[in-house]
Amino acid sequence: MNEAKYGEHYSVLKKEIMELFDLHKIVEDSQEVYGDLTFGAGGHSCAILENFPKAFLHAFDQDKEALANGIERLEAGSYSSRAKIHHSNFENFSTVIDEGLLFNGVLLDAGVSSHQFDSGGRGFSFRFDAHLDMRMNNDESIKPASHYINTLSEAELLKIFREYGEEKFSNNIVRSILERREVSPITKTKELEDICFHSYPKKLRHGKIHPATKSFQALRIHVNRELDVLTNVIGQVIPRLKVGGIFAIISFHSLEDRIVKHRFRDLLSGDIPIEILTKKPLLPSKEEIFENSRSRSAKLRVVKRLEEWPRKNKYR
Ligand SMILES: C[S@@+](CC[C@H](N)C(=O)[O-])C[C@H]1O[C@@H](n2cnc3c(N)ncnc32)[C@H](O)[C@@H]1O
């Protein structure tokens, strides 16, 4: 297990995001303020601080390991005086950030970091045998995945695997979970992996995607309320952008991307004038996908705050 040392994380679409922040830089701005709602290993945060020497950065991460590493990284880059990391869920954005502070650019790079995924003890991956935990924030008030697996009803589990995992064999998997937990509680990643594996028809067990992949994703989304917090934060950030400021969101699966797309579209009829800069999401280049295969499902959508509604939207 590698909890002690914070692992590397390849920052997805970093060049494109820096170019966007640069393109939408506000001329003659005396106080540049940026936000990174998902600090992780700090790759995007450090790039912002490096590329925008006048900037002050507010970063968020709900994971204490990311926070501890972040403080070290900022010190190593001599950025500490221009950055503050908030140990908080980004869904608390509007209460954590002082009222009145407006941002030039905010980034949200959704999901788990490579460090979390590759840390055996965190329970995110069935590659390691570990407690079925999956909490990004391991505060006692947040329940681990094992709690849900052992206590939720059949209907609740089915909803999670179907909606968040789009798992075709949810019925078989949930039936096996219910049978297995009758005998003894399911507490380990490898137990759940085994259940998923044997719930797949024999001829589909060795396909490109492991039979446990979608169920692990579904459970992780549920444990961390990933879709709710994403939905909640978008409307909080937009009013905190300067006129001309942008909000960029990288998502990693269709459920997240759908939320971003629809929330941006809903906000087009809100009180704050905005423009969606990405009619279609921006995707990583072939070179980036070659260097980092985890970036292959990334999609970037960007919204900009305007002074007033563009003419075509005047009579919305
Ligand atoms: C994909 S990584 C970000 C990587 C980062 N952009 C980099 O370049 O290193 C996501 C990070 O965001 C954090 N995170 C995810 N959802 C969060 C939330 N709702 N509130 C706060 N932090 C969150 C995770 O703990 C993880 O460290």
Side-chain angles (χ1 to χ4, degrees), residues 6-31:
Y6 201 90
E8 288 299 312
H9 179 93
Y10 185 109
S11 300
V12 174
L13 288 161
K14 186 159 78 179
K15 181 171 146 285
E16 289 78 356
I17 286 161
M18 293 311 124
E19 283 171 1
L20 269 164
F21 282 163
D22 194 44
L23 186 67
H24 297 278
K25 229 174 134 177
I26 299 165
V27 199
E28 291 179 13
D29 193 0
S30 59
Q31 199 200 8

mmCIF file with all atom_site columns, all heavy atoms in Angstrom, residues 6-31:
data_model
loop_
_atom_site.group_PDB
_atom_site.id
_atom_site.type_symbol
_atom_site.label_atom_id
_atom_site.label_alt_id
_atom_site.label_comp_id
_atom_site.label_asym_id
_atom_site.label_entity_id
_atom_site.label_seq_id
_atom_site.pdbx_PDB_ins_code
_atom_site.Cartn_x
_atom_site.Cartn_y
_atom_site.Cartn_z
_atom_site.occupancy
_atom_site.B_iso_or_equiv
_atom_site.pdbx_formal_charge
_atom_site.auth_seq_id
_atom_site.auth_comp_id
_atom_site.auth_asym_id
_atom_site.auth_atom_id
_atom_site.pdbx_PDB_model_num
ATOM 1   N N   . TYR A 1 6  ? 2.193   10.566 -1.259  1.00 0.00 ? 6  TYR A N   1
ATOM 2   C CA  . TYR A 1 6  ? 1.106   10.934 -2.158  1.00 0.00 ? 6  TYR A CA  1
ATOM 3   C C   . TYR A 1 6  ? 1.512   10.595 -3.584  1.00 0.00 ? 6  TYR A C   1
ATOM 4   O O   . TYR A 1 6  ? 2.572   11.003 -4.057  1.00 0.00 ? 6  TYR A O   1
ATOM 5   C CB  . TYR A 1 6  ? 0.795   12.423 -2.025  1.00 0.00 ? 6  TYR A CB  1
ATOM 6   C CG  . TYR A 1 6  ? -0.591  12.747 -2.505  1.00 0.00 ? 6  TYR A CG  1
ATOM 7   C CD1 . TYR A 1 6  ? -1.673  12.704 -1.633  1.00 0.00 ? 6  TYR A CD1 1
ATOM 8   C CD2 . TYR A 1 6  ? -0.830  13.048 -3.834  1.00 0.00 ? 6  TYR A CD2 1
ATOM 9   C CE1 . TYR A 1 6  ? -2.949  12.965 -2.071  1.00 0.00 ? 6  TYR A CE1 1
ATOM 10  C CE2 . TYR A 1 6  ? -2.109  13.317 -4.289  1.00 0.00 ? 6  TYR A CE2 1
ATOM 11  C CZ  . TYR A 1 6  ? -3.159  13.279 -3.403  1.00 0.00 ? 6  TYR A CZ  1
ATOM 12  O OH  . TYR A 1 6  ? -4.437  13.533 -3.856  1.00 0.00 ? 6  TYR A OH  1
ATOM 13  N N   . GLY A 1 7  ? 0.685   9.839  -4.276  1.00 0.00 ? 7  GLY A N   1
ATOM 14  C CA  . GLY A 1 7  ? 1.045   9.368  -5.617  1.00 0.00 ? 7  GLY A CA  1
ATOM 15  C C   . GLY A 1 7  ? 0.984   10.474 -6.662  1.00 0.00 ? 7  GLY A C   1
ATOM 16  O O   . GLY A 1 7  ? 0.437   11.545 -6.427  1.00 0.00 ? 7  GLY A O   1
ATOM 17  N N   . GLU A 1 8  ? 1.520   10.169 -7.827  1.00 0.00 ? 8  GLU A N   1
ATOM 18  C CA  . GLU A 1 8  ? 1.493   11.113 -8.947  1.00 0.00 ? 8  GLU A CA  1
ATOM 19  C C   . GLU A 1 8  ? 0.078   11.164 -9.522  1.00 0.00 ? 8  GLU A C   1
ATOM 20  O O   . GLU A 1 8  ? -0.665  10.187 -9.457  1.00 0.00 ? 8  GLU A O   1
ATOM 21  C CB  . GLU A 1 8  ? 2.447   10.629 -10.043 1.00 0.00 ? 8  GLU A CB  1
ATOM 22  C CG  . GLU A 1 8  ? 3.919   10.786 -9.686  1.00 0.00 ? 8  GLU A CG  1
ATOM 23  C CD  . GLU A 1 8  ? 4.326   12.227 -9.436  1.00 0.00 ? 8  GLU A CD  1
ATOM 24  O OE1 . GLU A 1 8  ? 3.973   13.089 -10.259 1.00 0.00 ? 8  GLU A OE1 1
ATOM 25  O OE2 . GLU A 1 8  ? 4.979   12.492 -8.409  1.00 0.00 ? 8  GLU A OE2 1
ATOM 26  N N   . HIS A 1 9  ? -0.271  12.294 -10.086 1.00 0.00 ? 9  HIS A N   1
ATOM 27  C CA  . HIS A 1 9  ? -1.555  12.390 -10.778 1.00 0.00 ? 9  HIS A CA  1
ATOM 28  C C   . HIS A 1 9  ? -1.320  13.194 -12.049 1.00 0.00 ? 9  HIS A C   1
ATOM 29  O O   . HIS A 1 9  ? -0.796  14.308 -11.992 1.00 0.00 ? 9  HIS A O   1
ATOM 30  C CB  . HIS A 1 9  ? -2.605  13.081 -9.897  1.00 0.00 ? 9  HIS A CB  1
ATOM 31  C CG  . HIS A 1 9  ? -3.941  13.216 -10.578 1.00 0.00 ? 9  HIS A CG  1
ATOM 32  N ND1 . HIS A 1 9  ? -4.941  12.268 -10.429 1.00 0.00 ? 9  HIS A ND1 1
ATOM 33  C CD2 . HIS A 1 9  ? -4.423  14.149 -11.437 1.00 0.00 ? 9  HIS A CD2 1
ATOM 34  C CE1 . HIS A 1 9  ? -5.988  12.640 -11.156 1.00 0.00 ? 9  HIS A CE1 1
ATOM 35  N NE2 . HIS A 1 9  ? -5.700  13.766 -11.776 1.00 0.00 ? 9  HIS A NE2 1
ATOM 36  N N   . TYR A 1 10 ? -1.683  12.622 -13.186 1.00 0.00 ? 10 TYR A N   1
ATOM 37  C CA  . TYR A 1 10 ? -1.533  13.315 -14.464 1.00 0.00 ? 10 TYR A CA  1
ATOM 38  C C   . TYR A 1 10 ? -2.695  14.302 -14.575 1.00 0.00 ? 10 TYR A C   1
ATOM 39  O O   . TYR A 1 10 ? -3.854  13.891 -14.557 1.00 0.00 ? 10 TYR A O   1
ATOM 40  C CB  . TYR A 1 10 ? -1.579  12.271 -15.581 1.00 0.00 ? 10 TYR A CB  1
ATOM 41  C CG  . TYR A 1 10 ? -1.326  12.808 -16.955 1.00 0.00 ? 10 TYR A CG  1
ATOM 42  C CD1 . TYR A 1 10 ? -0.137  12.520 -17.627 1.00 0.00 ? 10 TYR A CD1 1
ATOM 43  C CD2 . TYR A 1 10 ? -2.287  13.571 -17.609 1.00 0.00 ? 10 TYR A CD2 1
ATOM 44  C CE1 . TYR A 1 10 ? 0.082   13.011 -18.907 1.00 0.00 ? 10 TYR A CE1 1
ATOM 45  C CE2 . TYR A 1 10 ? -2.066  14.063 -18.886 1.00 0.00 ? 10 TYR A CE2 1
ATOM 46  C CZ  . TYR A 1 10 ? -0.881  13.777 -19.529 1.00 0.00 ? 10 TYR A CZ  1
ATOM 47  O OH  . TYR A 1 10 ? -0.659  14.259 -20.793 1.00 0.00 ? 10 TYR A OH  1
ATOM 48  N N   . SER A 1 11 ? -2.407  15.580 -14.669 1.00 0.00 ? 11 SER A N   1
ATOM 49  C CA  . SER A 1 11 ? -3.480  16.582 -14.719 1.00 0.00 ? 11 SER A CA  1
ATOM 50  C C   . SER A 1 11 ? -4.062  16.658 -16.122 1.00 0.00 ? 11 SER A C   1
ATOM 51  O O   . SER A 1 11 ? -3.381  17.085 -17.066 1.00 0.00 ? 11 SER A O   1
ATOM 52  C CB  . SER A 1 11 ? -2.955  17.948 -14.299 1.00 0.00 ? 11 SER A CB  1
ATOM 53  O OG  . SER A 1 11 ? -2.476  17.860 -12.996 1.00 0.00 ? 11 SER A OG  1
ATOM 54  N N   . VAL A 1 12 ? -5.302  16.255 -16.238 1.00 0.00 ? 12 VAL A N   1
ATOM 55  C CA  . VAL A 1 12 ? -5.961  16.136 -17.540 1.00 0.00 ? 12 VAL A CA  1
ATOM 56  C C   . VAL A 1 12 ? -6.223  17.525 -18.149 1.00 0.00 ? 12 VAL A C   1
ATOM 57  O O   . VAL A 1 12 ? -6.605  18.463 -17.441 1.00 0.00 ? 12 VAL A O   1
ATOM 58  C CB  . VAL A 1 12 ? -7.290  15.354 -17.336 1.00 0.00 ? 12 VAL A CB  1
ATOM 59  C CG1 . VAL A 1 12 ? -8.113  15.303 -18.603 1.00 0.00 ? 12 VAL A CG1 1
ATOM 60  C CG2 . VAL A 1 12 ? -6.987  13.949 -16.836 1.00 0.00 ? 12 VAL A CG2 1
ATOM 61  N N   . LEU A 1 13 ? -6.009  17.636 -19.451 1.00 0.00 ? 13 LEU A N   1
ATOM 62  C CA  . LEU A 1 13 ? -6.305  18.845 -20.240 1.00 0.00 ? 13 LEU A CA  1
ATOM 63  C C   . LEU A 1 13 ? -5.666  20.115 -19.653 1.00 0.00 ? 13 LEU A C   1
ATOM 64  O O   . LEU A 1 13 ? -6.210  21.217 -19.775 1.00 0.00 ? 13 LEU A O   1
ATOM 65  C CB  . LEU A 1 13 ? -7.838  19.029 -20.341 1.00 0.00 ? 13 LEU A CB  1
ATOM 66  C CG  . LEU A 1 13 ? -8.560  18.027 -21.252 1.00 0.00 ? 13 LEU A CG  1
ATOM 67  C CD1 . LEU A 1 13 ? -10.054 17.977 -20.919 1.00 0.00 ? 13 LEU A CD1 1
ATOM 68  C CD2 . LEU A 1 13 ? -8.395  18.394 -22.723 1.00 0.00 ? 13 LEU A CD2 1
ATOM 69  N N   . LYS A 1 14 ? -4.517  19.940 -19.030 1.00 0.00 ? 14 LYS A N   1
ATOM 70  C CA  . LYS A 1 14 ? -3.884  21.080 -18.331 1.00 0.00 ? 14 LYS A CA  1
ATOM 71  C C   . LYS A 1 14 ? -3.545  22.226 -19.296 1.00 0.00 ? 14 LYS A C   1
ATOM 72  O O   . LYS A 1 14 ? -3.851  23.384 -19.013 1.00 0.00 ? 14 LYS A O   1
ATOM 73  C CB  . LYS A 1 14 ? -2.618  20.587 -17.608 1.00 0.00 ? 14 LYS A CB  1
ATOM 74  C CG  . LYS A 1 14 ? -1.980  21.654 -16.752 1.00 0.00 ? 14 LYS A CG  1
ATOM 75  C CD  . LYS A 1 14 ? -1.091  21.067 -15.691 1.00 0.00 ? 14 LYS A CD  1
ATOM 76  C CE  . LYS A 1 14 ? 0.242   20.642 -16.258 1.00 0.00 ? 14 LYS A CE  1
ATOM 77  N NZ  . LYS A 1 14 ? 1.126   20.087 -15.206 1.00 0.00 ? 14 LYS A NZ  1
ATOM 78  N N   . LYS A 1 15 ? -2.948  21.871 -20.429 1.00 0.00 ? 15 LYS A N   1
ATOM 79  C CA  . LYS A 1 15 ? -2.529  22.907 -21.392 1.00 0.00 ? 15 LYS A CA  1
ATOM 80  C C   . LYS A 1 15 ? -3.768  23.674 -21.894 1.00 0.00 ? 15 LYS A C   1
ATOM 81  O O   . LYS A 1 15 ? -3.775  24.903 -21.932 1.00 0.00 ? 15 LYS A O   1
ATOM 82  C CB  . LYS A 1 15 ? -1.804  22.203 -22.552 1.00 0.00 ? 15 LYS A CB  1
ATOM 83  C CG  . LYS A 1 15 ? -1.279  23.094 -23.610 1.00 0.00 ? 15 LYS A CG  1
ATOM 84  C CD  . LYS A 1 15 ? -0.398  22.297 -24.573 1.00 0.00 ? 15 LYS A CD  1
ATOM 85  C CE  . LYS A 1 15 ? -0.471  22.789 -25.990 1.00 0.00 ? 15 LYS A CE  1
ATOM 86  N NZ  . LYS A 1 15 ? -1.672  22.445 -26.733 1.00 0.00 ? 15 LYS A NZ  1
ATOM 87  N N   . GLU A 1 16 ? -4.819  22.932 -22.227 1.00 0.00 ? 16 GLU A N   1
ATOM 88  C CA  . GLU A 1 16 ? -6.030  23.558 -22.769 1.00 0.00 ? 16 GLU A CA  1
ATOM 89  C C   . GLU A 1 16 ? -6.654  24.497 -21.738 1.00 0.00 ? 16 GLU A C   1
ATOM 90  O O   . GLU A 1 16 ? -7.135  25.583 -22.064 1.00 0.00 ? 16 GLU A O   1
ATOM 91  C CB  . GLU A 1 16 ? -7.059  22.477 -23.162 1.00 0.00 ? 16 GLU A CB  1
ATOM 92  C CG  . GLU A 1 16 ? -6.710  21.657 -24.392 1.00 0.00 ? 16 GLU A CG  1
ATOM 93  C CD  . GLU A 1 16 ? -5.672  20.551 -24.148 1.00 0.00 ? 16 GLU A CD  1
ATOM 94  O OE1 . GLU A 1 16 ? -5.140  20.456 -23.012 1.00 0.00 ? 16 GLU A OE1 1
ATOM 95  O OE2 . GLU A 1 16 ? -5.399  19.797 -25.096 1.00 0.00 ? 16 GLU A OE2 1
ATOM 96  N N   . ILE A 1 17 ? -6.638  24.076 -20.469 1.00 0.00 ? 17 ILE A N   1
ATOM 97  C CA  . ILE A 1 17 ? -7.251  24.906 -19.430 1.00 0.00 ? 17 ILE A CA  1
ATOM 98  C C   . ILE A 1 17 ? -6.431  26.174 -19.204 1.00 0.00 ? 17 ILE A C   1
ATOM 99  O O   . ILE A 1 17 ? -6.990  27.268 -19.074 1.00 0.00 ? 17 ILE A O   1
ATOM 100 C CB  . ILE A 1 17 ? -7.466  24.081 -18.144 1.00 0.00 ? 17 ILE A CB  1
ATOM 101 C CG1 . ILE A 1 17 ? -8.634  23.134 -18.401 1.00 0.00 ? 17 ILE A CG1 1
ATOM 102 C CG2 . ILE A 1 17 ? -7.770  24.965 -16.936 1.00 0.00 ? 17 ILE A CG2 1
ATOM 103 C CD1 . ILE A 1 17 ? -8.723  21.991 -17.492 1.00 0.00 ? 17 ILE A CD1 1
ATOM 104 N N   . MET A 1 18 ? -5.123  26.063 -19.204 1.00 0.00 ? 18 MET A N   1
ATOM 105 C CA  . MET A 1 18 ? -4.286  27.256 -19.034 1.00 0.00 ? 18 MET A CA  1
ATOM 106 C C   . MET A 1 18 ? -4.508  28.214 -20.211 1.00 0.00 ? 18 MET A C   1
ATOM 107 O O   . MET A 1 18 ? -4.577  29.424 -20.035 1.00 0.00 ? 18 MET A O   1
ATOM 108 C CB  . MET A 1 18 ? -2.799  26.891 -18.925 1.00 0.00 ? 18 MET A CB  1
ATOM 109 C CG  . MET A 1 18 ? -2.452  26.123 -17.674 1.00 0.00 ? 18 MET A CG  1
ATOM 110 S SD  . MET A 1 18 ? -3.104  26.868 -16.168 1.00 0.00 ? 18 MET A SD  1
ATOM 111 C CE  . MET A 1 18 ? -4.045  25.515 -15.502 1.00 0.00 ? 18 MET A CE  1
ATOM 112 N N   . GLU A 1 19 ? -4.631  27.655 -21.426 1.00 0.00 ? 19 GLU A N   1
ATOM 113 C CA  . GLU A 1 19 ? -4.873  28.507 -22.600 1.00 0.00 ? 19 GLU A CA  1
ATOM 114 C C   . GLU A 1 19 ? -6.216  29.241 -22.476 1.00 0.00 ? 19 GLU A C   1
ATOM 115 O O   . GLU A 1 19 ? -6.329  30.410 -22.803 1.00 0.00 ? 19 GLU A O   1
ATOM 116 C CB  . GLU A 1 19 ? -4.855  27.664 -23.886 1.00 0.00 ? 19 GLU A CB  1
ATOM 117 C CG  . GLU A 1 19 ? -3.435  27.310 -24.307 1.00 0.00 ? 19 GLU A CG  1
ATOM 118 C CD  . GLU A 1 19 ? -3.357  26.296 -25.445 1.00 0.00 ? 19 GLU A CD  1
ATOM 119 O OE1 . GLU A 1 19 ? -4.406  25.852 -25.957 1.00 0.00 ? 19 GLU A OE1 1
ATOM 120 O OE2 . GLU A 1 19 ? -2.217  25.928 -25.803 1.00 0.00 ? 19 GLU A OE2 1
ATOM 121 N N   . LEU A 1 20 ? -7.224  28.515 -21.974 1.00 0.00 ? 20 LEU A N   1
ATOM 122 C CA  . LEU A 1 20 ? -8.542  29.143 -21.802 1.00 0.00 ? 20 LEU A CA  1
ATOM 123 C C   . LEU A 1 20 ? -8.497  30.262 -20.770 1.00 0.00 ? 20 LEU A C   1
ATOM 124 O O   . LEU A 1 20 ? -9.030  31.352 -21.000 1.00 0.00 ? 20 LEU A O   1
ATOM 125 C CB  . LEU A 1 20 ? -9.536  28.088 -21.299 1.00 0.00 ? 20 LEU A CB  1
ATOM 126 C CG  . LEU A 1 20 ? -10.302 27.326 -22.350 1.00 0.00 ? 20 LEU A CG  1
ATOM 127 C CD1 . LEU A 1 20 ? -10.940 26.083 -21.743 1.00 0.00 ? 20 LEU A CD1 1
ATOM 128 C CD2 . LEU A 1 20 ? -11.390 28.227 -22.950 1.00 0.00 ? 20 LEU A CD2 1
ATOM 129 N N   . PHE A 1 21 ? -7.845  29.990 -19.630 1.00 0.00 ? 21 PHE A N   1
ATOM 130 C CA  . PHE A 1 21 ? -7.737  31.027 -18.593 1.00 0.00 ? 21 PHE A CA  1
ATOM 131 C C   . PHE A 1 21 ? -6.979  32.236 -19.154 1.00 0.00 ? 21 PHE A C   1
ATOM 132 O O   . PHE A 1 21 ? -7.302  33.366 -18.842 1.00 0.00 ? 21 PHE A O   1
ATOM 133 C CB  . PHE A 1 21 ? -7.041  30.482 -17.336 1.00 0.00 ? 21 PHE A CB  1
ATOM 134 C CG  . PHE A 1 21 ? -7.933  29.621 -16.450 1.00 0.00 ? 21 PHE A CG  1
ATOM 135 C CD1 . PHE A 1 21 ? -7.382  28.782 -15.485 1.00 0.00 ? 21 PHE A CD1 1
ATOM 136 C CD2 . PHE A 1 21 ? -9.314  29.670 -16.546 1.00 0.00 ? 21 PHE A CD2 1
ATOM 137 C CE1 . PHE A 1 21 ? -8.186  28.003 -14.653 1.00 0.00 ? 21 PHE A CE1 1
ATOM 138 C CE2 . PHE A 1 21 ? -10.132 28.897 -15.722 1.00 0.00 ? 21 PHE A CE2 1
ATOM 139 C CZ  . PHE A 1 21 ? -9.559  28.057 -14.781 1.00 0.00 ? 21 PHE A CZ  1
ATOM 140 N N   . ASP A 1 22 ? -5.981  31.960 -19.983 1.00 0.00 ? 22 ASP A N   1
ATOM 141 C CA  . ASP A 1 22 ? -5.188  33.047 -20.547 1.00 0.00 ? 22 ASP A CA  1
ATOM 142 C C   . ASP A 1 22 ? -6.010  33.856 -21.564 1.00 0.00 ? 22 ASP A C   1
ATOM 143 O O   . ASP A 1 22 ? -6.031  35.078 -21.538 1.00 0.00 ? 22 ASP A O   1
ATOM 144 C CB  . ASP A 1 22 ? -3.931  32.454 -21.201 1.00 0.00 ? 22 ASP A CB  1
ATOM 145 C CG  . ASP A 1 22 ? -2.924  33.537 -21.504 1.00 0.00 ? 22 ASP A CG  1
ATOM 146 O OD1 . ASP A 1 22 ? -2.713  34.394 -20.620 1.00 0.00 ? 22 ASP A OD1 1
ATOM 147 O OD2 . ASP A 1 22 ? -2.382  33.554 -22.620 1.00 0.00 ? 22 ASP A OD2 1
ATOM 148 N N   . LEU A 1 23 ? -6.713  33.134 -22.409 1.00 0.00 ? 23 LEU A N   1
ATOM 149 C CA  . LEU A 1 23 ? -7.539  33.774 -23.438 1.00 0.00 ? 23 LEU A CA  1
ATOM 150 C C   . LEU A 1 23 ? -8.602  34.675 -22.808 1.00 0.00 ? 23 LEU A C   1
ATOM 151 O O   . LEU A 1 23 ? -8.948  35.716 -23.350 1.00 0.00 ? 23 LEU A O   1
ATOM 152 C CB  . LEU A 1 23 ? -8.199  32.672 -24.277 1.00 0.00 ? 23 LEU A CB  1
ATOM 153 C CG  . LEU A 1 23 ? -8.989  33.065 -25.501 1.00 0.00 ? 23 LEU A CG  1
ATOM 154 C CD1 . LEU A 1 23 ? -8.051  33.654 -26.553 1.00 0.00 ? 23 LEU A CD1 1
ATOM 155 C CD2 . LEU A 1 23 ? -9.706  31.849 -26.094 1.00 0.00 ? 23 LEU A CD2 1
ATOM 156 N N   . HIS A 1 24 ? -9.128  34.251 -21.666 1.00 0.00 ? 24 HIS A N   1
ATOM 157 C CA  . HIS A 1 24 ? -10.204 35.011 -21.021 1.00 0.00 ? 24 HIS A CA  1
ATOM 158 C C   . HIS A 1 24 ? -9.701  35.845 -19.854 1.00 0.00 ? 24 HIS A C   1
ATOM 159 O O   . HIS A 1 24 ? -10.463 36.190 -18.953 1.00 0.00 ? 24 HIS A O   1
ATOM 160 C CB  . HIS A 1 24 ? -11.332 34.064 -20.600 1.00 0.00 ? 24 HIS A CB  1
ATOM 161 C CG  . HIS A 1 24 ? -11.956 33.396 -21.773 1.00 0.00 ? 24 HIS A CG  1
ATOM 162 N ND1 . HIS A 1 24 ? -12.925 33.999 -22.551 1.00 0.00 ? 24 HIS A ND1 1
ATOM 163 C CD2 . HIS A 1 24 ? -11.686 32.213 -22.373 1.00 0.00 ? 24 HIS A CD2 1
ATOM 164 C CE1 . HIS A 1 24 ? -13.229 33.202 -23.554 1.00 0.00 ? 24 HIS A CE1 1
ATOM 165 N NE2 . HIS A 1 24 ? -12.500 32.101 -23.473 1.00 0.00 ? 24 HIS A NE2 1
ATOM 166 N N   . LYS A 1 25 ? -8.405  36.147 -19.876 1.00 0.00 ? 25 LYS A N   1
ATOM 167 C CA  . LYS A 1 25 ? -7.820  36.998 -18.849 1.00 0.00 ? 25 LYS A CA  1
ATOM 168 C C   . LYS A 1 25 ? -8.485  38.371 -18.909 1.00 0.00 ? 25 LYS A C   1
ATOM 169 O O   . LYS A 1 25 ? -8.786  38.863 -19.997 1.00 0.00 ? 25 LYS A O   1
ATOM 170 C CB  . LYS A 1 25 ? -6.313  37.141 -19.130 1.00 0.00 ? 25 LYS A CB  1
ATOM 171 C CG  . LYS A 1 25 ? -5.475  36.891 -17.914 1.00 0.00 ? 25 LYS A CG  1
ATOM 172 C CD  . LYS A 1 25 ? -4.038  36.897 -18.268 1.00 0.00 ? 25 LYS A CD  1
ATOM 173 C CE  . LYS A 1 25 ? -3.391  37.756 -17.211 1.00 0.00 ? 25 LYS A CE  1
ATOM 174 N NZ  . LYS A 1 25 ? -1.993  37.864 -17.298 1.00 0.00 ? 25 LYS A NZ  1
ATOM 175 N N   . ILE A 1 26 ? -8.696  38.950 -17.759 1.00 0.00 ? 26 ILE A N   1
ATOM 176 C CA  . ILE A 1 26 ? -9.372  40.247 -17.756 1.00 0.00 ? 26 ILE A CA  1
ATOM 177 C C   . ILE A 1 26 ? -8.296  41.341 -17.719 1.00 0.00 ? 26 ILE A C   1
ATOM 178 O O   . ILE A 1 26 ? -7.453  41.344 -16.830 1.00 0.00 ? 26 ILE A O   1
ATOM 179 C CB  . ILE A 1 26 ? -10.341 40.338 -16.556 1.00 0.00 ? 26 ILE A CB  1
ATOM 180 C CG1 . ILE A 1 26 ? -11.395 39.214 -16.708 1.00 0.00 ? 26 ILE A CG1 1
ATOM 181 C CG2 . ILE A 1 26 ? -10.978 41.706 -16.460 1.00 0.00 ? 26 ILE A CG2 1
ATOM 182 C CD1 . ILE A 1 26 ? -12.192 38.919 -15.479 1.00 0.00 ? 26 ILE A CD1 1
ATOM 183 N N   . VAL A 1 27 ? -8.327  42.197 -18.732 1.00 0.00 ? 27 VAL A N   1
ATOM 184 C CA  . VAL A 1 27 ? -7.267  43.217 -18.861 1.00 0.00 ? 27 VAL A CA  1
ATOM 185 C C   . VAL A 1 27 ? -7.380  44.219 -17.698 1.00 0.00 ? 27 VAL A C   1
ATOM 186 O O   . VAL A 1 27 ? -8.470  44.522 -17.231 1.00 0.00 ? 27 VAL A O   1
ATOM 187 C CB  . VAL A 1 27 ? -7.400  43.967 -20.215 1.00 0.00 ? 27 VAL A CB  1
ATOM 188 C CG1 . VAL A 1 27 ? -6.093  44.678 -20.573 1.00 0.00 ? 27 VAL A CG1 1
ATOM 189 C CG2 . VAL A 1 27 ? -7.798  43.021 -21.325 1.00 0.00 ? 27 VAL A CG2 1
ATOM 190 N N   . GLU A 1 28 ? -6.231  44.707 -17.264 1.00 0.00 ? 28 GLU A N   1
ATOM 191 C CA  . GLU A 1 28 ? -6.155  45.701 -16.184 1.00 0.00 ? 28 GLU A CA  1
ATOM 192 C C   . GLU A 1 28 ? -6.899  45.267 -14.932 1.00 0.00 ? 28 GLU A C   1
ATOM 193 O O   . GLU A 1 28 ? -7.678  46.003 -14.340 1.00 0.00 ? 28 GLU A O   1
ATOM 194 C CB  . GLU A 1 28 ? -6.702  47.060 -16.665 1.00 0.00 ? 28 GLU A CB  1
ATOM 195 C CG  . GLU A 1 28 ? -5.783  47.703 -17.690 1.00 0.00 ? 28 GLU A CG  1
ATOM 196 C CD  . GLU A 1 28 ? -6.322  49.029 -18.197 1.00 0.00 ? 28 GLU A CD  1
ATOM 197 O OE1 . GLU A 1 28 ? -7.251  49.559 -17.595 1.00 0.00 ? 28 GLU A OE1 1
ATOM 198 O OE2 . GLU A 1 28 ? -5.784  49.505 -19.203 1.00 0.00 ? 28 GLU A OE2 1
ATOM 199 N N   . ASP A 1 29 ? -6.653  44.027 -14.573 1.00 0.00 ? 29 ASP A N   1
ATOM 200 C CA  . ASP A 1 29 ? -7.298  43.486 -13.379 1.00 0.00 ? 29 ASP A CA  1
ATOM 201 C C   . ASP A 1 29 ? -6.279  43.561 -12.247 1.00 0.00 ? 29 ASP A C   1
ATOM 202 O O   . ASP A 1 29 ? -5.185  43.018 -12.370 1.00 0.00 ? 29 ASP A O   1
ATOM 203 C CB  . ASP A 1 29 ? -7.665  42.016 -13.675 1.00 0.00 ? 29 ASP A CB  1
ATOM 204 C CG  . ASP A 1 29 ? -8.593  41.443 -12.652 1.00 0.00 ? 29 ASP A CG  1
ATOM 205 O OD1 . ASP A 1 29 ? -8.951  42.180 -11.723 1.00 0.00 ? 29 ASP A OD1 1
ATOM 206 O OD2 . ASP A 1 29 ? -8.952  40.269 -12.789 1.00 0.00 ? 29 ASP A OD2 1
ATOM 207 N N   . SER A 1 30 ? -6.613  44.242 -11.173 1.00 0.00 ? 30 SER A N   1
ATOM 208 C CA  . SER A 1 30 ? -5.594  44.409 -10.126 1.00 0.00 ? 30 SER A CA  1
ATOM 209 C C   . SER A 1 30 ? -5.518  43.187 -9.212  1.00 0.00 ? 30 SER A C   1
ATOM 210 O O   . SER A 1 30 ? -4.478  42.907 -8.638  1.00 0.00 ? 30 SER A O   1
ATOM 211 C CB  . SER A 1 30 ? -5.879  45.657 -9.309  1.00 0.00 ? 30 SER A CB  1
ATOM 212 O OG  . SER A 1 30 ? -7.154  45.536 -8.744  1.00 0.00 ? 30 SER A OG  1
ATOM 213 N N   . GLN A 1 31 ? -6.604  42.455 -9.077  1.00 0.00 ? 31 GLN A N   1
ATOM 214 C CA  . GLN A 1 31 ? -6.559  41.286 -8.204  1.00 0.00 ? 31 GLN A CA  1
ATOM 215 C C   . GLN A 1 31 ? -7.106  40.056 -8.928  1.00 0.00 ? 31 GLN A C   1
ATOM 216 O O   . GLN A 1 31 ? -8.324  39.877 -9.049  1.00 0.00 ? 31 GLN A O   1
ATOM 217 C CB  . GLN A 1 31 ? -7.388  41.549 -6.934  1.00 0.00 ? 31 GLN A CB  1
ATOM 218 C CG  . GLN A 1 31 ? -7.022  40.609 -5.807  1.00 0.00 ? 31 GLN A CG  1
ATOM 219 C CD  . GLN A 1 31 ? -8.117  40.511 -4.753  1.00 0.00 ? 31 GLN A CD  1
ATOM 220 O OE1 . GLN A 1 31 ? -9.217  41.021 -4.902  1.00 0.00 ? 31 GLN A OE1 1
ATOM 221 N NE2 . GLN A 1 31 ? -7.808  39.806 -3.674  1.00 0.00 ? 31 GLN A NE2 1
#
